[in-house]
Amino acid sequence: MTLLTSVVGFSIFGLAARFGQLGIQKRNLFDNLGGHAISMGAFGFAGYWAYKWDIRAGELLAEKRAEIAARRGVKPDELLAEA
């Protein structure tokens, strides 16, 4: 998942959530465009954070696999082949 798709996807979800919120309240969907922008921005930031968290989690897993392989005395590539 790339950074752009994460941010845009979460932003679109934020817009859909805003439309759902206004739909439940039976208000005009295009009444306050600033609210849409704030919702999209907040969810876009959540997408950015999720992308960075995914990258960091991958790094932590790679470090842990290397540590386990070092304890077992095997190469890290062999450890992945076992799984």
Side-chain angles (χ1 to χ4, degrees), residues 26-53:
K26 297 185 180 184
R27 292 176 44 198
N28 184 5
L29 296 181
F30 300 105
D31 187 28
N32 184 6
L33 297 179
H36 298 322
I38 290 171
S39 179
M40 290 178 72
F43 277 86
F45 178 73
Y48 174 78
W49 181 82
Y51 173 79
K52 291 296 185 179
W53 178 72

Side-chain angles (χ1 to χ4, degrees), residues 15-76:
L15 181 63
R18 177 74 174 156
F19 280 160
Q21 175 189 25
L22 293 175
I24 289 171
Q25 295 176 355
K26 297 185 180 184
R27 292 176 44 198
N28 184 5
L29 296 181
F30 300 105
D31 187 28
N32 184 6
L33 297 179
H36 298 322
I38 290 171
S39 179
M40 290 178 72
F43 277 86
F45 178 73
Y48 174 78
W49 181 82
Y51 173 79
K52 291 296 185 179
W53 178 72
D54 188 38
I55 297 298
R56 180 67 181 139
E59 292 171 356
L60 290 173
L61 286 173
E63 290 172 9
K64 187 55 94 172
R65 282 190 187 115
E67 182 182 321
I68 291 170
R71 284 187 194 158
R72 290 183 182 176
V74 297
K75 295 179 184 175

